[in-house]
Structure formats: C-alpha cells, structure tokens
Amino acid sequence: MLENYWHIACLLKDIRKKPKAITLFSKHIVVFLDDTGTPCAIEDRCAHRNMPLHCGKVIHGELQCPYHGWRYNSQGEVTHIPTAIKDSIKHKAKIPTYPCLEQDGYIWVCMSGQPTEKKPPLFKSLKQAGWTSFRMQTQFNSTVENCLENFLDVPHAAFIHKFWFRASDKKIVRAVVNELDDGAFAEYFSESRKNSLVFGFLSNRKTSLKHTDRFIAPSMSKVDYRFSDNRHYIISSFCSPQTDTITNVFTVITFKYGIFSPLIRCIFEPISRIIIKQDVKALAKQQANIDKFGEEKFTWIPQDILRPSIIRWRNSIKQGKTYKPSTEAKEIDLHI
C-alpha cells in the first residue's frame, strides 16, 4: 500500500536532456519529458526484445529504443516501428505506465498507478523570498524506517556527529510528542548548544531556540530550528525506497540568515554534506549487522522519541489499515 503514495524519482534537471533509469520498490522504470515538457514514467523494458529504454533517446517527445528503434509515447504505446510495413502491431504492443508529475523541482511517481493524494508533500520555504536553499541527494544502505528515525533522532548526534552538530553535556532535555492526522510532532526544550560547530557558527548563543521535529507519513522528515533573532533553519528529507534495504534520500535545506545568507551557504553546505556522510556510514554498518544476524532485533525505550509513530504509521499503511493517532501528548526526558 506504500506504493499508493507519491515518491521522488529524481530531479527535474536530471531528465531535461536524456531519459533516466529509476528503481522504486524494486521496480524498474524510465522517466523522460514529452514534447510539452511534461514528465512521463514507463517501464524500462522494450516490448520487442526487452532492451532497456533508458539507453535510448527522446525524439519529438517519444522514447526510442536503442535496439530496433521502436518508439513509445507517454502512454506506453508503440507509435513507430521502423521496419514494419503495416501499423497494426502498434496498437497491440504496450508497456506499463505510472502517474508522474513535477513539483518543487523533483519528479514524483506513484508506483501503484492509483495515488492516494492529488499532490505530493511540499518542501516548504523552498524558493521563497528571504530564504536560501540547497539540495542533497544521498543513497543509504538502510530501510526507509531506519533512515527516518536517524534524521529525527536527537541522541545519536552526540556520538555520530560529536562536536560537529551536538555534544553531550549531561543535561536533561524535555521532549513533548504529539501524534497528528498525517504523522507525528516533537518539540524539545532546554537544549544545550555547547561544543557544537554548527550551532556555534549558525546562531547567536544569547538567542533562544525553538526546535521541533516532524514526521510526515509515510516517508518525510522535517527538522526545524527557529531562533529568537529571526534566524531559521529547516532540514526536510524525503525517503524513496529503491529496494527494501536501499533508500534514496532527497534533502532540501532552507534557511534565513539575512544579507549574509549566500556566504553562509558556502560554509553550511559542505558541513551538511560531511554530517550526512557520517549518517550514511553509520546506517550502512547497522544494516550490515542486521543482514548478518538475519533480522532486526531492537530494544525500544521512551527516548526513541518518534520511532514508535514512524513504525505504527508505516505498518498501518502497508496493511491497508487506517491509523488512528493518539490524542494524548507524551512528555519524555532525555539525558544528553
């Protein structure tokens, strides 16, 4: 049932000049632009001799197979066979297609063919006046669930990203967690910003901080840091499953830092890429060990703030059930 939702296939710019092969939910598709500039997604396999269509080229908005030159339109229909004298075969040969659209500079595809929502979730603040943004695309050897938990997990930062992003100073941090109609939301109080390169560089220590984490079902995370001097940072990540244990993560970082924002980006972006590479390495080790033992065997504690909501939401969707979020807020203390 997760295939009923929109998932990111690639950036729009990736298919402006040529088709691109994509794997989502272990299914192989090719995405391209038709003659009107509209994105299309069809199965990456020619009906004639199974040649991968992404190796071909787009001609007048149609995808041409590189083997015998068969052409396909956005509906997966054969429109031209170079060697055929009669056109009767064209109406019989057809390959599967998938709903496809462009939003926020990304190509989104629904692999079931029946999207549950008209539009995908938005990357808010992207391209808005006063905001600076940059994008990252990262492949994780990990499940969507474990990626989402990692992006929304505060405690691991004191170990995996020690001094880069957060450091342990033995302080009690209070979290308030609420489940919502489309996910879950956590707000943190009394967080320390000591011994953190990112916080030290991006914020004034005299300001107050409002930190919230958001899980948007089924596959998106949003980390929001808002400071009392109007500086603001939002890290949004969407997880598209290539396979059960390989996830392509599309991240948009937007921030407000005043007139110096373009200069700040020159430093903030490379730091962000270092931090996400640390997560890539950590989750690859985790998945390798899960594979070695043949199963996940996790112990859950209250300080696993948003993981319970992530798992419950995604399991409900997989089973075709309607998830009923809890109406009761939870208060949890973390020793960080």
Side-chain angles (χ1 to χ4, degrees), residues 32 34 39-43 61-62 72-79 93-98:
F32 64 99
D34 68 12
C40 314
I42 64 178
E43 187 174 80
E62 296 179 341
Y72 297 85
N73 62 17
S74 61
Q75 303 304 310
E77 300 166 334
V78 178
T79 61
K94 186 176 180 180
I95 55 178
T97 63
Y98 303 88

Side-chain angles (χ1 to χ4, degrees), residues 5 117 178-185 214-218 309 313 316-317 321-327:
Y5 288 80
E117 298 177 339
N178 287 277
E179 290 197 322
L180 307 173
D181 290 338
D182 64 347
F185 178 87
R214 178 94 158 79
F215 162 59
I216 303 169
S309 295
W313 262 103
S316 294
I317 293 171
K321 298 178 180 178
T322 300
Y323 181 67
K324 296 182 178 179
S326 172
T327 58

Side-chain angles (χ1 to χ4, degrees), residues 125-138:
S125 303
L126 183 64
K127 296 183 180 179
Q128 288 188 10
W131 290 81
T132 299
S133 64
F134 59 90
R135 305 172 191 253
M136 297 188 291
Q137 181 176 341
T138 315

Side-chain angles (χ1 to χ4, degrees), residues 149 182 201:
E149 180 191 28
D182 64 347
F201 175 69

Side-chain angles (χ1 to χ4, degrees), residues 184-240:
F185 178 87
E187 183 172 358
Y188 296 86
F189 300 88
S190 303
E191 281 188 87
S192 173
R193 286 182 264 166
K194 294 180 179 179
N195 300 319
S196 168
L197 177 64
V198 171
F199 281 136
F201 175 69
L202 298 177
S203 69
N204 184 336
R205 295 192 183 279
K206 295 180 180 179
T207 60
S208 59
L209 164 66
K210 182 178 181 179
H211 169 202
T212 59
D213 285 350
R214 178 94 158 79
F215 162 59
I216 303 169
S219 305
M220 193 169 188
S221 67
K222 178 183 173 184
V223 179
D224 193 309
Y225 297 103
R226 190 190 303 262
F227 297 89
S228 58
D229 61 357
N230 292 322
R231 294 179 187 177
H232 196 173
Y233 305 89
I234 302 174
I235 306 167
S236 302
S237 294
F238 191 93
C239 299
S240 291

Side-chain angles (χ1 to χ4, degrees), residues 26-155:
S26 297
K27 296 179 180 179
H28 306 291
I29 62 174
V30 55
V31 291
F32 64 99
L33 298 178
D34 68 12
D35 56 352
T36 67
T38 302
C40 314
I42 64 178
E43 187 174 80
D44 192 14
R45 177 167 59 172
C46 180
H48 184 213
R49 288 294 182 269
N50 283 244
M51 193 71 171
L53 292 173
H54 76 268
C55 296
K57 56 185 177 180
V58 179
I59 297 179
H60 305 304
E62 296 179 341
L63 190 53
Q64 183 185 69
C65 176
Y67 198 10
H68 295 95
W70 287 33
R71 289 189 198 172
Y72 297 85
N73 62 17
S74 61
Q75 303 304 310
E77 300 166 334
V78 178
T79 61
H80 178 64
I81 302 174
T83 57
I85 298 175
K86 294 183 179 181
D87 291 337
S88 58
I89 185 66
K90 293 196 299 186
H91 304 289
K92 296 179 181 179
K94 186 176 180 180
I95 55 178
T97 63
Y98 303 88
C100 184
L101 57 82
E102 183 275 331
Q103 180 177 285
D104 290 332
Y106 290 108
I107 301 301
W108 300 76
V109 179
C110 175
M111 295 304 293
S112 73
Q114 299 178 327
T116 57
E117 298 177 339
K118 291 183 179 180
K119 294 288 185 179
L122 290 167
F123 285 92
K124 294 184 178 180
S125 303
L126 183 64
K127 296 183 180 179
Q128 288 188 10
W131 290 81
T132 299
S133 64
F134 59 90
R135 305 172 191 253
M136 297 188 291
Q137 181 176 341
T138 315
Q139 186 177 92
F140 283 80
N141 291 327
S142 186
T143 65
V144 169
E145 289 83 1
N146 289 338
C147 284
L148 287 168
E149 180 191 28
N150 174 268
F151 304 151
L152 298 170
D153 177 58
V154 171

